[in-house]
Amino acid sequence: MLRSTLQRYPLFVIVLAQLCGTSLWFSINGVWLSLSRELGLTESDLGQLTLTVQAGFIVGTLGIAVTGLADRFRASYIFACSSVLGALVNAGFVITAASPPFDLVMRFLTGLCLAGIYPLGMKLVIGWTPKHTGTALAWLVGMLTLGTAMPHLLRGATPGLPWQWPLLGSSALALLGGMIILILGDGPHLPMGTAKAHLRSGLAGLRSPRFRAVAGGYFGHCWELYAFWTLTPLLVTREVLRMHAAPALIPLISFIVIGVGFAGCVGGGRLSQRFSSQWVANRALAMSGIICLAYPFLTWAPPGALLMLLMLWGTSVIADSPQFSALAAAAAPREFVGASLAVMNAIGFALTIPAIWITSNLWGSQGVWVTLWLLPGPVLGLWSMRRLDSLED
């Protein structure tokens, strides 16, 4: 009975589960101010913890591609198991936060589990809603964005409680997400692969010129996106202090700056129906690149104006992501869609590591000027996407 009810609204169920599962991703960033005060951690430590999650995600996505898990086993099973394990290791950080290197181990394992949530969520969407994939993936990535922002909201909603509670809240959400996906099951439109898969299965998409062009745009997008999300509480803190406002506003405003990307994803999905996924991806990437270039030259502007600009940046920086996924899914070999997307994600997230490392380590000496280090992402991404119009598979 419950399964049949959920299967009437599969997209809603999948994106809700994605919201719950991906709340694990930046769970540490949401409580960063409390952690830094209590444990004496620095911005460089924040970068290191975030990088460790990214590294775990990369290893996990490569593992999925090498073993063929994404195309040999039910996506709903992998998603549910990853959500449960991710909830447990995220909660484990509460115990190990003051005990390096075990804190990094827990964050690495969290990233490993996320590799079974985000890419498999994309496959679930394709399996349930093969038509209007760009729109469906827009909702999925929009929920990823809200999931990323959720720890900031949990921290802002619990100002008087210890930092451990928001982390445990993220774990509870992940458990809920895994449960509802397990009940929903797999969609009918993508059969489970039967042939033994190898890494070359995931690399098969790279033989397509169109897939390579889309992947290049996605790689530039990744360089900018996660470093921006890492910098968001630091950029917001600067403006809140300039306004002489209460520090309790920092996590709430950080949630808005990141979470407003949901509107960018959904709005971009609707525009993709009228124009195309390529049209939306190019314009969103160009807008975020322009803001990336302009922002450090506008530090003289009123804090309120800069916070509004950050919200515009938060909207555009993620709006292209679902369109890249839709374009890549269309260009990838049908029998290896899951593995191809996993490899693309792995390479893209590998590029987030130097971007996060550079910006978090240089923040103390360069301040807002570190945003210029993000500019190569949009520039190179747009250059790669320009080749699409002249390419054929």
Side-chain angles (χ1 to χ4, degrees), residues 286-358:
M287 179 178 294
S288 66
I290 291 171
I291 298 174
C292 181
L293 173 63
Y295 192 86
F297 295 97
L298 299 174
T299 54
W300 50 267
L306 287 181
L307 289 175
M308 292 297 294
L309 186 60
L310 284 176
M311 292 177 194
L312 180 60
W313 196 353
T315 303
S316 60
V317 75
I318 188 63
D320 48 1
S321 186
Q323 307 313 318
F324 283 128
S325 297
L327 290 166
R334 183 171 177 80
E335 65 273 24
F336 298 123
V337 170
S340 296
L341 291 176
V343 167
M344 187 181 79
N345 279 319
I347 298 173
F349 278 83
L351 292 172
T352 69
I353 290 180
I356 293 172
W357 186 87
I358 289 170

Side-chain angles (χ1 to χ4, degrees), residues 125-131 186-191 334:
V125 163
I126 296 168
W128 278 104
T129 58
K131 296 181 179 180
D186 285 29
H189 301 288
L190 276 183
R334 183 171 177 80

